Amino acid sequence: ENLLRVHTVLDTDHGPALLMELARGGSLGRVLQARGALHPGEAVTVLVGAAAVLAYLHSLNVCHGGVSPGNILFTSSGKPLLADLGTAGLLGTERTSAASKEGDVLALAMVGWLILTGRALPPAERRLPLSVLVPDLPAALAEVIDAGLQEDAELRPDAAEFARRVFESIP
């Protein structure tokens, strides 16, 4: 539901090209440039949608490999869509390892940090707790973002668990 639709693959002089759904709402990157940060409820909408796509891709043994604010787009009604899988990922020619899947979750947690703080993620040794930077943030949301940012990939939730925990974090 939150994966940008591919209508067809076209052969061009430069190789395969994808004809994709138009996301009239622009990118998360542009929204953040305009607003700085999102409210927790808005962040949950974005993060759950993107994490659900990652869980789906991972179940097919496909890694996104490029989760970023520029690759999260919006429909004209504000529904988030994860985009820019790349031709190899969409055509099923590139498979992934568990480490790549965990990298997708880390990248999404980094996007979560940016969405909630309006700031890029600092190095772990200089990072203040998310709850200090965003005092009104529900504790459960701060905890799942922190879990997704764990340096040890084995301590991070998988994409499905990340989606579930983010969804349940707002009462």
Side-chain angles (χ1 to χ4, degrees):
E1 179 179 337
N2 295 93
L3 180 61
L4 189 73
R5 303 275 184 252
V6 175
H7 297 296
T8 190
V9 178
L10 305 169
D11 288 322
T12 72
D13 294 340
H14 302 286
L18 302 172
L19 180 60
M20 303 174 86
E21 172 183 6
L22 177 61
R24 294 188 185 277
S27 72
L28 175 61
R30 286 196 171 196
V31 170
L32 293 174
Q33 282 179 336
R35 293 189 40 202
L38 300 182
H39 298 289
E42 295 169 319
V44 166
T45 298
V46 171
L47 295 173
V48 168
V53 170
L54 292 177
Y56 169 73
L57 294 173
H58 294 172
S59 76
L60 300 174
N61 204 28
V62 174
C63 176
H64 184 279
V67 177
S68 70
N71 291 336
I72 298 174
L73 307 177
F74 297 98
T75 65
S76 57
S77 63
K79 178 174 131 183
L81 302 169
L82 188 57
D84 199 19
L85 251 167
T87 304
L90 287 172
L91 297 178
T93 58
E94 185 177 288
R95 297 297 179 193
T96 187
S97 67
S100 298
K101 293 175 185 178
E102 293 156 353
D104 277 350
V105 173
L106 174 62
L108 186 57
M110 292 171 73
V111 168
W113 178 279
L114 178 63
I115 287 172
L116 291 165
T117 66
R119 305 175 195 167
L121 181 72
E125 64 274 1
R126 295 194 342 235
R127 190 179 316 146
L128 292 173
L130 193 52
S131 58
V132 170
L133 296 173
V134 188
D136 296 334
L137 190 64
L141 183 53
E143 289 169 9
V144 69
I145 299 294
D146 287 340
L149 295 172
Q150 289 291 320
E151 289 185 33
D152 183 346
E154 292 184 15
L155 298 177
R156 283 183 222 136
D158 66 16
E161 176 73 6
F162 188 87
R164 183 190 65 74
R165 289 179 60 189
V166 169
F167 180 76
E168 293 174 353
S169 70
I170 301 286

